[in-house]
Amino acid sequence: MEIKTSTGLCGEVDIPGDKSISHRSVMFGALAKGTTEITHFLQGADCLSTISCFREMGIEIENTADKILVHGKGLHGLSAPRRTLNVGNSGTTTRLISGILAGQGFESLLSGDDSLNSRPMNRIIRPLKEMGAEIESIDGSGCAPLRIRPGVLHSIDYTSTVASAQVKSAILLAGLYASGTTSVTEPVLSRNHTELMLNSFGADVAAVIHKDGSATASVRPCEELFAQKIKVPGDISSAAYFIAAGLIVPHSELLIKNVGINPTRAGLLDVVKAMGADITYLNVNSDSGEPTADLLVRSSSLKAVTVEGAAIPTLIDEIPMIAVLAAFADGTTVIRDAAELKVKETDRIKTTTEALLNMGADVTPTEDGMIIRGGNPIHGGQIDSFLDHRIAMAFAVAGLAADGLTTIKDSQCVDVSYPGFFETLQRLQGKANEN
Ligand code: S3P
């Protein structure tokens, strides 16, 4: 994909459904009794992987133009898959489904693409085994492919060293099938969609934040979940690219609609505010059960910030985009406490800093983040996405504000979370030219 310098972006963007909530809607719908109706579902490759895994386990899922209908069969209604479950590129599918499969009375195999099959799975294997699950990495590497056999689950009180919603969710989902109350404590609170949504499906999940900032979620074993109607809010992780583009492309004004602003996800908004962003919240409401807002973003001069600590899990997927913003900001931005970046779809400390260097930025990778000295002229470059959707989108935005032409290799990987991303970008440029 070729990206030219933009003279301004203008218009409205409807943000596609939240990826984390879309996955969970299908999973919990499959385990509930009755038909769960999901609107504004994200039709990205990752969420389609979740649908295909549950279809493989006998769940009828209708995917029509305007809604998804999941005909759930209850907590014990899944049937043994005849094939290996293909989880594609999706860490969320893999880790959450593993928690569910640990509680089933049949054997299953899970495998994904090369990126997925090199991501760490011991972080879920360890606690699930502690609960009595029969789960193993088939080649012993600690990665997928995974084999899960029937096991008898008992509750545990698990302390996780990482703040990971995927780890937390895997344990809570297995906890639905365990004897006794299962709890997970994480060093700081990660996104809490599983806790909120399981409760709305009728489970009993409690959440506490401790004085030292650590957080515990606990779940009681469950007899039954009940089908729900879910309106998925727009994904702030997808909105991030348009927020950033609106800020760094001169003469821009974008109205970014229906963005989920759950505080466990919205750290980006605090960061851009601290950087001096001209951003206004409109139509704030909680109609979908999660808070949403429309965001009016205008070109702004940005200044450096420090991004660290408890904020990191609230913006972990936005860090490549924040790093690009920092390259256009005055001063030195420090991103730390973000070693988790190394185990995303790519090692995002490496892929982000290499791409920034490629475009002329002054950046130093560190063990747990990066240091970006803003203000260097940023020029176009040939960017390898390494098939990482977030790298492709963050550097497409960088290209709009850079001098000269930028090319993004393997740009089709944006389909993982944002089909139509480049078409939307193109449309907003057209609007600016008309004005
Ligand atoms: C997700 C949790 C995060 C995030 C991922 C989606 C989820 O991963 O990076 O894109 O839906 O639970 P970790 O749990 O590994 O931090």
Side-chain angles (χ1 to χ4, degrees), residues 18-21 23-24 46 91-93 95-96 119 123 162-169 190-191 193-194 237 265 313 316-317 340 343-345 348 389-390:
D18 186 277
K19 183 154 78 71
S20 295
I21 296 175
H23 280 299
R24 286 161 173 81
D46 270 13
T92 309
T93 310
R95 296 196 177 110
L96 270 60
R119 295 179 66 184
R123 52 180 56 198
V162 286
S164 161
Q166 294 179 358
V167 171
K168 172 172 63 179
S169 303
S190 63
R191 64 191 68 190
H193 306 302
T194 295
S237 299
R265 293 289 301 285
I316 187 75
D317 293 339
E340 277 294 296
V343 293
K344 296 297 176 187
E345 286 82 333
R348 288 187 181 150
H389 55 134
R390 304 220 180 272

Side-chain angles (χ1 to χ4, degrees), residues 354-369:
E354 281 180 7
L356 278 174
L357 285 170
N358 193 327
M359 297 182 82
D362 182 353
V363 54
T364 310
T366 63
E367 259 316 293
D368 65 350

Side-chain angles (χ1 to χ4, degrees), residues 42 124 161 206 219 360 394 396:
L42 172 64
I124 54 152
T161 53
V219 67

